[in-house]
Amino acid sequence: MTRPLGVILAGGQARRMGGGDKGRLDLAGRSLLDHVVTRLEPQVDQIALNANGDPSRFSDMPYPVIEDSIPDFVGPLAGVLAGLDWAHEQGAETIVTVAADTPFFPTDLVARLIAKGTDMAHPLVLSATREEGRLYRHPTFGLWPVALRDDLRAALLDGVRKVVMWTDRHDGQLVEFDTVPFDPFFNVNTPQDLETARGLLGDIA
């Protein structure tokens, strides 16, 4: 499999942060989005940013901005679909999505997702962690096949909103990532989370 394209999902409305683009929040002198790009860029061939509204607010970044084609902020699957449509235009077979507010995701994310999907006709693989025996899926961090983009579009138009509801239809697989010393999929939803992220960044340094 050729390397996938990368899509950063930044289409949420960030209500718990008071609105605006969470990816622009400062974390140790750099935006959350910059931290995400630093981790994603070495793992993929190209990057696009999925965001709604005025795309010019990202004009300082050298990446195309792709909007949801399904209106009314229906959730991350709309961002996945936007990424798949963009990848189709580039002639790519797969994309990997990551969230714009999760600055510590694994540096081997893409390699492990690809490895899990090697024997799948249409590789569809999500990230997961396990804590105290309980499995937690992280559906915004996944490998998605361009071949299923029209199926996903139909599902969204039919009212499907939960990621795993659609991925389970297509035998979506999981890759479990370690949570030591902390959950790499920790994301920033509140001002308190941002303070926690600053502490975690110090631990990594």
Side-chain angles (χ1 to χ4, degrees):
M1 183 190 302
T2 58
R3 291 212 311 174
L5 306 188
V7 177
I8 301 173
L9 301 177
Q13 300 178 73
R15 290 190 181 96
R16 282 181 282 177
M17 293 295 295
D21 294 303
K22 280 194 292 183
R24 293 298 198 178
L25 295 173
D26 180 82
L27 178 60
R30 299 169 60 203
S31 71
L32 287 176
L33 197 50
D34 285 339
H35 287 279
V36 169
V37 166
T38 296
R39 286 187 172 252
L40 182 61
E41 202 161 38
Q43 302 187 56
V44 296
D45 273 349
Q46 300 178 52
I47 289 177
L49 183 63
N50 165 239
N52 299 298
D54 184 0
S56 67
R57 68 190 192 277
F58 297 106
S59 61
D60 59 318
M61 304 192 76
Y63 308 112
V65 179
I66 52 177
E67 290 189 306
D68 295 349
S69 59
I70 307 295
D72 301 324
F73 299 102
V74 298
L77 278 177
V80 173
L81 176 60
L84 292 174
D85 285 341
W86 167 71
H88 175 72
E89 294 172 358
Q90 313 306 311
E93 296 179 353
T94 56
I95 65 170
V96 165
T97 55
V98 302
D101 60 356
T102 309
F104 308 120
F105 66 86
T107 55
D108 62 349
L109 173 75
V110 174
R112 293 189 59 189
L113 294 176
I114 288 175
K116 186 70 174 183
T118 298
D119 295 327
M120 300 178 70
H122 302 304
L124 181 56
V125 186
L126 302 182
S127 302
T129 54
R130 190 179 296 274
E131 294 185 51
E132 299 180 350
R134 183 176 178 182
L135 186 70
Y136 294 88
R137 290 191 273 196
H138 301 280
T140 53
F141 289 82
L143 173 69
W144 312 85
V146 171
L148 292 181
R149 68 191 182 99
D150 289 331
D151 185 285
L152 176 56
R153 192 186 331 276
L156 283 165
L157 292 173
D158 197 38
V160 171
R161 297 294 179 261
K162 292 185 177 181
V163 176
V164 295
M165 183 178 293
W166 183 74
T167 59
D168 284 352
R169 292 181 184 178
H170 298 281
D171 193 30
Q173 302 296 300
L174 294 175
V175 174
E176 288 189 35
F177 290 86
D178 196 2
T179 57
V180 177
F182 60 83
D183 184 350
F185 300 105
F186 172 83
N187 65 311
V188 176
N189 281 320
T190 67
Q192 292 76 17
D193 289 339
L194 186 59
E195 288 303 314
T196 299
R198 288 169 179 147
L200 292 175
L201 190 63
D203 291 341
I204 293 173

